[in-house]
Amino acid sequence: MTEPQNNTTTATPAATQQGNPVDAILRRLATRAMGLTGADIERVVREARLKARRGKRAIRYEDIEDGIRGHRAPVPYDLRWRFAFHEAGHAVVHHALDLGPVRGLNIDTGEGAYNLLGFHASGTDTHTWYENMLTVLVAGRAAETLVLKRASGGSGGSDDSDLARATRMAFDMERTLGFGSEHPLLYRPHRDPGAVLDREPELAARVHASLGAALDRAAAILRRRRPTFNALAKALFEAQAMDQKAVLQILTDGDLTL
């Protein structure tokens, strides 16, 4: 994949160029603001108005975006690419499994990368649905390994990380959801899955096998859809934030080539 020049400055987005609709700018702003609270957004708008007033001019898109970014340094070039590959991996696999819409992707949030995935109401709570969910959760790690040949610790490291959520889900499939390979009818909840896995190596092996199968499945999907994955990662690297419409355009264009 051809990478753009190493430039960590934020370019003026295409949506602000002459002839592009205002709603494209608003969608991009909304995507940029993913994760912010209502109070955060009020502060950003207030500071942007003050900045425009001091400059004796109308408020601009850049004023809002600068306020959302704060005074953070640009994301380093290599990390920005890793974030782009990781989130594009989640999005492509989520779309391929037809789980619902990808509402937005952001690799410049101040706390790492971020995705907002929607889910269809039908088909949930089945064994297939949980297997698909596991596949999406580990897809970011699969994407990093596919392109960069090794995964970062960004998939794990906290209780709300991809690996933590996937491990809990695979654990519940074995112990509480009735999908286990041993004694599936027994309901055996536990508040600390890690403690159970540490003392039950056979259960840990089954959970790990489920995660490994999901990882292999995600990697296979990304290999089949490599042009779409590459296109989405490149677009996300350049834009840093993409709304649902922008993401869907690339994903649906890729569907036509399959």
Side-chain angles (χ1 to χ4, degrees), residues 157-172:
S158 66
D159 288 343
D160 62 349
S161 66
D162 294 340
L163 283 183
R165 293 163 60 201
T167 299
R168 285 195 298 270
M169 185 173 292
F171 177 88
D172 286 341

Side-chain angles (χ1 to χ4, degrees), residues 206-230:
R206 294 197 301 274
V207 169
H208 191 266
S210 295
L211 297 175
L215 188 68
D216 290 343
R217 187 182 180 208
I221 291 172
L222 293 173
R223 283 193 293 269
R224 287 198 304 270
R225 296 174 178 251
R226 189 64 181 265
T228 302
F229 168 62
N230 287 348

Side-chain angles (χ1 to χ4, degrees), residues 168-190:
R168 285 195 298 270
M169 185 173 292
F171 177 88
D172 286 341
M173 289 173 72
E174 286 285 338
R175 301 260 306 194
T176 69
L177 294 172
F179 302 136
S181 57
E182 293 187 10
H183 311 305
L185 299 183
L186 294 182
Y187 176 75
R188 295 160 292 168
H190 201 282

